[in-house]
Amino acid sequence: MGNASSMLTQYDIEEVQQHCNHAFSQQEIVSLYERFCQLDRNNGGFISAEEFLSVPEFARLLRMVDGLNFKEFVAFLSAFSPHATLHQKIEFIFKVYDSDGNGKVTFTDMLDVLRDLTGTFISEKQREHSADLE
């Protein structure tokens, strides 16, 4: 699995399945590997932040990671699998909103999310008012 141009072995597939708690079927892992190889433009077996950002939907999620190998890539995506438990999905969503990684979703974290969602369409003051839960 080190070289992105190499083929996955049955052992690799089973190892990845175990790593992500069997959230994906073997065929889904093969498909994910093909997508991983497309993103790994320099064929180094590792997706850089720049390569990961080439998928616009992952821009917000990138804050949670600093580069991924294939097993980490699949584990990261496992929260999106229909086989993932509700707890796994909730834990993942929490991590998305906990932008500073302190184990809490704070007012500042919510402002970060609102900045990402609204861009320049609303002012900082409007964002602060929207995030204020009192």
Side-chain angles (χ1 to χ4, degrees):
M1 272 191 314
N3 184 342
S5 63
S6 66
M7 296 298 295
L8 284 177
T9 66
Q10 183 64 33
Y11 175 80
D12 292 333
I13 293 169
E14 291 170 5
E15 183 181 32
V16 170
Q17 275 188 307
Q18 185 174 1
H19 185 73
C20 68
N21 298 315
H22 296 274
F24 296 102
S25 70
Q26 290 190 8
Q27 184 54 48
E28 288 169 325
I29 289 173
V30 170
S31 295
L32 287 170
Y33 185 70
E34 291 169 0
R35 180 63 176 135
F36 176 86
C37 290
Q38 290 171 349
L39 293 172
D40 180 19
R41 287 177 271 190
N42 67 1
N43 295 326
F46 188 83
I47 298 175
S48 69
E50 181 183 332
E51 291 166 332
F52 197 72
L53 274 176
S54 70
V55 181
E57 296 83 7
F58 290 152
R60 169 96 184 130
L61 302 177
L62 182 63
R63 293 186 183 150
M64 298 170 51
V65 297
D66 186 21
L68 302 168
N69 66 28
F70 178 60
K71 283 181 11 182
E72 293 163 340
F73 173 75
V74 173
F76 178 80
L77 292 177
S78 67
F80 299 99
S81 166
H83 306 292
T85 66
L86 180 59
H87 178 78
Q88 289 169 316
K89 291 175 187 276
I90 290 171
E91 188 175 279
F92 180 84
I93 291 169
F94 181 84
K95 288 178 184 176
V96 169
Y97 287 97
D98 180 18
S99 57
D100 60 7
N102 70 352
K104 300 174 185 174
V105 177
T106 63
F107 181 77
T108 303
D109 293 328
M110 292 308 297
L111 284 177
D112 289 343
V113 170
L114 285 172
R115 275 186 208 101
D116 289 344
L117 294 174
T118 61
T120 59
F121 293 109
I122 67 172
S123 70
E124 189 67 18
K125 187 171 184 161
Q126 289 172 308
R127 275 191 281 276
E128 288 176 10
H129 180 71
S130 296
D132 190 6
L133 300 176
E134 296 181 66

